[in-house]
Structures are given as structure tokens and as C-alpha cells.
Amino acid sequence: MSTTNLRLAVAPHDHVRFCDSVVGLAGRVRSLVRVPKTLDELQNLLARNDSGWPGQVDFEKLILAVTLLYAIGAVVSVENDRVVAI
């Protein structure tokens, strides 16, 4: 992902829907990790038709969202490569 594309994907603006932004996805991910989950479990939850998330989530964007949450101290890594909200 180029720097320009990354910058455009991080925060919603005129050309990116909230559900396609990393910030929007990070908010949804944080609500899903009240109990520890792996990245694969998160991707499976978001890919379901009844997930409530209007957009498609690729693994790269999910990683960016979890990294953002980790960077701001909203999630921590726990046993077996799982993340959980603080």
C-alpha cells in the first residue's frame, strides 16, 4: 500500500466512506474484542453476512486497524496471539 493510499484509508473524508476507513474499522474491531480473539476470528466475524459491517474487509486493512488500536493503547496482546480491548 503506498503512502498516499495509506493516508487516504486511515481517516474518512470526501472520497472514502466511513466503513472503508481504518479508523471506522478500528472502532468496529474494538467492539468485537471484548473477549480475546485472533485476527482470523476477527476477519471471519467481519466477513459474515450478519456482521453489521457494510463493506468488505481485507486482511491488510484489518491488520492496520488492530495496529492502530494497539498504538493508542485500546487493545493489548494476550495469550495465543489474541487481542483484547482494555
Side-chain angles (χ1 to χ4, degrees), residues 1 12 30 33 51 62 65 77:
M1 182 176 272
R30 188 171 189 286
V33 293
S51 71
L62 177 61
S77 179

Side-chain angles (χ1 to χ4, degrees), residues 1-85:
M1 182 176 272
S2 73
T3 305
T4 302
N5 290 341
L6 179 61
R7 193 172 343 117
L8 293 175
V10 170
H13 56 80
D14 292 345
H15 303 289
V16 175
R17 297 180 309 162
F18 186 73
C19 68
D20 293 331
S21 71
V22 174
V23 171
L25 180 58
R28 180 67 176 133
V29 166
R30 188 171 189 286
S31 72
L32 294 173
V33 293
R34 296 199 172 132
V35 295
K37 291 191 175 46
T38 65
L39 294 175
D40 290 332
E41 290 170 335
L42 287 169
Q43 186 176 28
N44 289 336
L45 284 171
L46 291 166
R48 292 174 41 172
N49 289 335
D50 63 347
S51 71
W53 191 251
Q56 293 292 331
V57 178
D58 60 10
F59 198 69
E60 181 178 296
K61 196 171 279 188
L62 177 61
I63 297 293
L64 287 171
V66 171
T67 302
L68 175 64
L69 290 170
Y70 183 77
I72 64 172
V75 298
V76 293
S77 179
V78 293
E79 62 197 36
N80 298 329
D81 296 325
R82 296 175 185 274
V83 292
V84 66

